[in-house]
Amino acid sequence: MKTFLQLLEQANSEINQISCSELNDALGSEDLVLVDVRSKEIIQSDGAIEGSVNIPRGMLEFHADQREENPFRRPELDPNKKIVLYCGAGGQSALSSKTLQDMGFTKVFNLTGGTNAWVEAGFSLKK
C-alpha cells in the first residue's frame, strides 16, 4: 500500500508546477482556467483567487469528463486551455492535476504552495 505522502510525491514528480508570480502574470488570459479544488465551506471562510471556478476534488472526474452526454460536465474545463489547479497548501491540487493528466488533459499545472503561498507572496484572496 502507498501512503498519502508517497502518492503526493509521485504526483509532484509527474505534473507541471506554476509559481505564484507566474500565475499572477497569467491572470486574465482567455486561455487560462483557474480551478479551486477546495470545499465551498473553506472558500467561503478563506476566500479564493479572483477569477477561479470551484470544482471540489471529490467531483473533479465527474466534471472533467467532457462527453457531451455527461450531465456533470463542466465545459470550462476545456482541454485546449491551460488549466491551473490550486488548494490550500498544494497537496489536493497536485493529486487533482495528476488525475486530469491521467484523463488526457495536457496543459495542466499545480499552483506550488496553494493559497498559503499565494497570500505569503503578497497576493490576495477574494471573499
Side-chain angles (χ1 to χ4, degrees):
M1 288 183 63
K2 287 186 179 181
T3 66
F4 162 73
L5 292 176
Q6 289 170 321
L7 283 175
L8 187 57
E9 185 179 325
Q10 178 182 354
N12 278 318
S13 73
E14 297 178 17
I15 62 173
N16 297 310
Q17 301 284 343
I18 188 170
S19 71
C20 294
S21 61
E22 289 171 324
L23 175 58
N24 187 60
D25 291 344
L27 288 178
S29 168
E30 290 187 20
D31 291 329
L32 174 72
V33 179
L34 186 56
V35 179
D36 189 328
V37 298
R38 300 173 299 157
S39 70
K40 288 182 183 185
E41 294 79 18
I42 296 290
I43 293 170
Q44 288 172 346
S45 167
D46 297 351
I49 299 174
E50 192 165 359
S52 63
V53 295
N54 177 227
I55 301 178
R57 181 170 175 247
M59 292 297 293
L60 183 65
E61 295 87 348
F62 297 98
H63 293 309
D65 180 348
Q66 294 297 298
R67 292 174 296 132
E68 289 293 327
E69 66 272 14
N70 175 15
F72 299 106
R73 180 175 76 91
R74 296 281 297 265
E76 57 262 51
L77 284 177
D78 184 339
N80 298 309
K81 294 187 177 183
K82 180 178 186 174
I83 299 174
V84 176
L85 297 104
Y86 73 91
C87 61
Q92 290 181 72
S93 54
L95 295 171
S96 297
S97 296
K98 173 79 167 73
T99 295
L100 287 185
Q101 280 186 193
D102 289 348
M103 291 181 76
F105 289 78
T106 58
K107 300 176 188 175
V108 180
F109 295 81
N110 179 46
L111 177 61
T112 304
T115 57
N116 293 345
W118 181 258
V119 170
E120 193 173 293
F123 303 113
S124 62
L125 300 176
K126 184 176 181 178
K127 290 191 178 184

